[in-house]
Amino acid sequence: MKACDLAVIGGGPAGMMCAITAAERGLSVVLLEPNQKLGRKLRITGKGRCNLTNNCDIRTFMANIPGDGRFLYSAVNRFGMREAMAFFEERGLPLKTERGGRVFPVSDNANDVAGLLTKLVTQSGVRVLHTAAKEILSSDGAVIGVVTGEGQLSCRAAAVCTGGLSYPLTGSTGAGYRFAQRLGHTVTPRRPSLVPLESSDDYCGEMQGFALKNVTLSAYEDDRLIYRELGEMLFTHFGVSGPLVLSASAKMRHIGEKAYRLTIDLKPGLEEKKLDARILRDFEKYANKEFKNALGELAGRTMIPVLVRLSGIPEDTKVNAITREQRQRLLRLFKAFPVSVSGTRPINEAIVTAGGVSTKEINPRTMESKLVQGLYFAGEVLDLDAYTGGFNLQIAWSTGYVAGASVLKDEFNP
């Protein structure tokens, strides 16, 4: 196999950004990706719409990085949210900003993002080899080559952009962690983030498939509020899922060590006094009916049997016989419906992998290893993750760009 200046391992967002940036500087670049299509995971992100960044300032970005956000400060200053948006728009992909600063392609099609990057990879002269990297070779503390499924590739630098462990069918197999460890790097424990949550409450399974819209979800760690937001969620056979739940899971960084629980405000638009008045109106309307038949205007049909059971009010109680104390219990259920958290779904069901190659061993200004010369890391393989809203992809763009701009910078000026 021919030699090159830079071998980029992984054809996801960080890998493509790294390869394009380096090739546009004049480096000879080979991109190693076993999948026949580049950006396979990228094509399914954001339910196929691709929330590619967030239209916010650096301060807001940093507030959405739960781990070592400081490590990213230099990279995001160099290639931040504005630069990422300009990168795509100037190359022909119109963008739009939605609620919470989330940025999407106007087409609402993630394939357009991956397609543009694939086109830029080709146009910049990157050679794409659809084969897997097996090992990174080093000599005297510097990268000298990569062993691939098709033979040995000589290179002066290698960028590991292999992703994490989530969505393994897209190629995220954890190979990057093995490369890092073999070359002396520390890999912190990996855990799922932005992941559905499991519950021991049997009523979650009872309501499987029941979606809630415009509710407020609160999450607690050892009874301390750690998350609260309005949005959508879903009951499943194992517990709960949906946008609110995925966001809440990113705050739960000590599953197994600390106790977590959720509460759902089913009527966030009504304060307790107004909700009580609303319940009273319905109770007057259905005064002679049984309790189980009086909640049809207040809750979804799937949820009514669960609300009745948790309220402790016998289902056949006549509405006009319900006491004030019983009504208050029902009111509290509407404002704080409880869901226990017993754990998360497996990491292969997570959107993002938390943990990874320790940032302490990486130069934040270049993404180069402090241990091996010519070894770079970018994207999800690093011990970096973020909350939902386009921040995780921004990490990929920023770190991928900086790695591509820094490789052999003494020879190839950016």
Side-chain angles (χ1 to χ4, degrees), residues 253-367:
R253 311 204 52 97
H254 307 286
I255 295 259
E257 300 166 37
K258 299 193 175 183
Y260 293 95
R261 63 182 177 86
L262 307 170
T263 63
I264 309 163
D265 185 345
L266 299 166
K267 302 289 179 186
L270 295 173
E271 56 180 353
E272 287 199 12
K273 246 183 180 176
K274 286 185 178 174
L275 179 57
D276 193 31
R278 168 73 201 278
I279 293 171
L280 272 170
R281 277 204 310 276
D282 279 33
F283 277 11
E284 283 166 18
K285 188 174 178 181
Y286 300 109
N288 297 312
K289 293 209 170 208
E290 292 182 342
F291 175 50
K292 66 182 177 185
N293 297 321
L295 298 176
E297 294 178 30
L298 282 163
R301 194 175 63 200
T302 309
M303 201 175 201
I304 288 172
V306 176
L307 286 166
V308 168
R309 195 162 74 246
L310 293 184
S311 73
I313 305 168
E315 62 174 29
D316 55 357
T317 305
K318 290 283 191 229
V319 170
N320 57 16
I322 292 173
T323 66
R324 183 180 182 280
E325 187 188 336
Q326 287 174 319
R327 195 180 76 245
Q328 288 300 309
R329 282 210 304 270
L330 178 65
L331 173 69
R332 283 194 292 275
L333 260 186
F334 273 109
K335 295 302 284 182
F337 184 90
V339 177
S340 68
V341 175
S342 57
T344 69
R345 292 301 282 168
I347 199 163
N348 62 358
E349 292 181 33
I351 292 175
V352 168
T353 304
V357 177
S358 173
T359 54
K360 292 187 177 76
E361 297 161 359
I362 311 292
N363 183 334
R365 295 182 179 277
T366 62
M367 298 299 137

Side-chain angles (χ1 to χ4, degrees), residues 13-264:
M16 285 193 281
M17 180 62 81
C18 176
I20 292 162
T21 306
E24 287 181 347
R25 290 174 49 226
L27 279 76
S28 62
V29 180
V30 170
L31 177 60
L32 300 167
E33 171 54 63
N35 288 317
Q36 286 309 301
K37 268 187 174 178
L38 298 178
R40 194 165 165 195
K41 183 179 172 185
L42 186 62
R43 294 171 191 272
I44 60 171
T45 59
K47 294 180 181 172
R49 293 179 64 216
C50 191
N51 176 193
L52 54 86
T53 186
N54 194 286
N55 194 352
C56 67
D57 56 21
I58 288 182
R59 197 171 173 184
T60 304
F61 175 83
M62 290 298 170
N64 280 277
I65 310 294
D68 185 14
R70 289 168 306 171
F71 174 83
L72 285 164
Y73 196 78
S74 174
V76 175
N77 261 298
R78 221 168 139 189
F79 193 85
M81 290 65 72
R82 300 281 182 276
E83 288 79 10
M85 290 171 70
F87 176 90
F88 288 103
E89 293 200 299
E90 286 167 8
R91 288 161 178 80
L93 185 73
L95 304 177
K96 60 180 176 179
T97 301
E98 296 187 1
R99 180 181 60 83
R102 291 168 167 82
V103 177
F104 294 88
V106 169
S107 65
D108 282 330
N109 191 339
N111 282 306
D112 292 346
V113 181
L116 173 61
L117 288 166
T118 302
K119 186 175 87 173
L120 294 172
V121 163
T122 304
Q123 285 179 352
S124 62
V126 174
R127 277 188 296 146
V128 180
L129 297 181
H130 292 290
T131 185
K134 305 288 187 187
E135 190 181 351
I136 298 172
L137 304 173
S138 66
S139 176
D140 296 327
V143 168
I144 58 166
V146 176
V147 177
T148 81
E150 294 179 8
Q152 191 170 312
L153 176 70
S154 294
C155 58
R156 296 193 289 161
V160 180
C161 308
T162 49
L165 289 168
S166 49
Y167 291 118
L169 291 176
T170 65
S172 302
T173 60
Y177 306 129
R178 294 192 292 276
F179 300 148
Q181 285 172 320
R182 281 182 199 144
L183 292 166
H185 276 273
T186 305
V187 176
T188 64
R190 277 83 71 210
R191 63 187 185 282
S193 184
L194 304 183
V195 66
L197 296 171
E198 295 183 345
S199 173
S200 56
D201 300 326
D202 55 5
Y203 48 78
C204 288
E206 230 177 281
M207 294 187 285
Q208 179 180 346
F210 182 60
L212 294 172
K213 292 186 177 183
N214 298 318
V215 297
T216 296
L217 181 69
S218 300
Y220 297 86
E221 180 183 271
D222 291 342
D223 289 328
R224 179 177 66 88
L225 180 70
I226 56 170
Y227 172 86
R228 177 171 285 157
E229 200 162 320
L230 177 78
E232 301 175 14
M233 60 175 290
L234 174 77
F235 289 101
T236 69
H237 67 284
F238 55 75
V240 284
S241 188
L244 286 178
V245 174
L246 299 182
S247 295
S249 76
K251 304 269 186 175
M252 299 179 178
R253 311 204 52 97
H254 307 286
I255 295 259
E257 300 166 37
K258 299 193 175 183
Y260 293 95
R261 63 182 177 86
L262 307 170
T263 63
I264 309 163

Side-chain angles (χ1 to χ4, degrees), residues 350-384:
I351 292 175
V352 168
T353 304
V357 177
S358 173
T359 54
K360 292 187 177 76
E361 297 161 359
I362 311 292
N363 183 334
R365 295 182 179 277
T366 62
M367 298 299 137
E368 187 176 16
S369 163
K370 292 177 181 177
L371 312 180
V372 180
Q373 189 182 331
L375 179 64
Y376 293 78
F377 293 91
E380 200 179 344
V381 72
L382 288 162
D383 181 11
L384 294 167

